[in-house]
Amino acid sequence: MQLGVGGSQPSLDHRMPAVPHGTRHPRWPGREGTHPFQRQATARRVPLTTVVLPEEPKGITVRCFTLSAAVHLSEEFLESYADLPADEHLRDGHRFRYRAFGKAQVKGERFLWEDEVSFFQEGDINAYAGGRERKFAPLGDAAREFAESFVNSRRTRGIVTAEEFHIGCHQIRITADDEHPGLPAPEGFHQDGFDYVAVTCVATENVSGGISLVRAAEPDGDDLVERVMPPGEALFLADREVLHYVSPITPKVPGRPTYRDVAVITFTLEGAAR
């Protein structure tokens, strides 16, 4: 992105723990429950490099930049994170990640979603979980609609100029409790093995940490980004040119539900012009 409370052990069930699982945007005493976009001011933003796209981008080639994705996020998509099943491919039996996944072939503005999908990364790309086929729950309709809206946007198509390509969409919730941090990137600084990767922060609750860091992929590469992404922001990466990482999350206020919801879209161009 699960919502472990206090010192309790995280659930080993396939679904989210009962009480926090249904708590989508809790109303704590003294604070009015709000849509996550209305809480952006609480997030610390420390950009080292931020590229502002022109109004009509055409074939832009930059390593990374941020852009708003708020227009693509529906209430149904936000609520669907509460129903994500546990990721069964984590080590040590600790459930801190809940996940769904889908693949589609894009032809112009049409999306041909695959019915049965698996996800594979080479071991040298992902030392934590690579080298084996992984299967996750399929994306729901709201997540597919988000992916299609994001990919078909003018900003995205200004970067990905090919008419045909493939995408993968990962819907992820990362949770933490007082005894267990949540690990958005347990593999450390890494590449995902695609042409482009777009990471959208969808929602956060009671999170300390979760700092997104990007650096150039060459030896002693420059630091490009260090920021806490607010809900509604996307980070677009030229994956083969950078390494990226997100620091662990912990509860800002002990005993309260803590989670970070993200959507990751990968782009495979298969030799098409970028």
Side-chain angles (χ1 to χ4, degrees), residues 151-184:
V151 172
N152 275 339
S153 69
R154 174 176 52 83
R155 292 277 173 104
T156 299
R157 289 306 180 104
I159 305 303
V160 183
T161 57
E163 282 298 306
E164 296 189 15
F165 51 92
H166 289 80
I167 65 166
C169 182
H170 303 256
Q171 184 182 9
I172 299 172
R173 168 168 282 186
I174 300 295
T175 64
D177 60 33
D178 293 352
E179 296 182 358
H180 303 95
L183 307 177

Side-chain angles (χ1 to χ4, degrees), residues 184-236:
E187 65 269 48
F189 272 95
H190 66 283
Q191 295 171 313
D192 289 325
F194 300 92
D195 292 292
Y196 294 106
V197 175
V199 182
T200 299
C201 181
V202 174
T204 62
E205 187 63 48
N206 193 39
V207 167
S208 179
I211 303 170
S212 295
L213 300 106
V214 183
R215 68 187 188 206
E218 59 263 21
D220 300 320
D222 293 337
D223 294 330
L224 303 176
V225 171
E226 179 181 357
R227 66 190 295 109
V228 173
M229 296 173 63
E233 181 176 86
L235 180 61
F236 210 110

Side-chain angles (χ1 to χ4, degrees), residues 86-159:
D87 184 339
E88 297 296 331
H89 303 281
L90 303 177
R91 297 179 181 178
D92 304 325
H94 172 38
R95 304 285 195 229
F96 61 84
R97 185 161 65 193
Y98 297 78
R99 189 169 192 165
F101 174 62
K103 290 180 182 178
Q105 182 180 8
V106 182
K107 293 186 174 184
E109 295 185 356
R110 295 188 302 125
F111 289 75
L112 306 176
W113 290 96
E114 300 180 23
D115 294 329
E116 297 291 333
V117 298
S118 60
F119 182 60
F120 179 82
Q121 291 175 301
E122 297 288 351
D124 58 349
I125 290 288
N126 186 337
Y128 180 84
R132 55 195 169 101
E133 294 282 345
R134 290 181 282 166
K135 289 191 175 183
F136 305 105
L139 288 181
D141 290 341
R144 288 186 176 189
E145 289 171 5
F146 160 78
E148 293 181 11
S149 177
F150 184 94
V151 172
N152 275 339
S153 69
R154 174 176 52 83
R155 292 277 173 104
T156 299
R157 289 306 180 104
I159 305 303

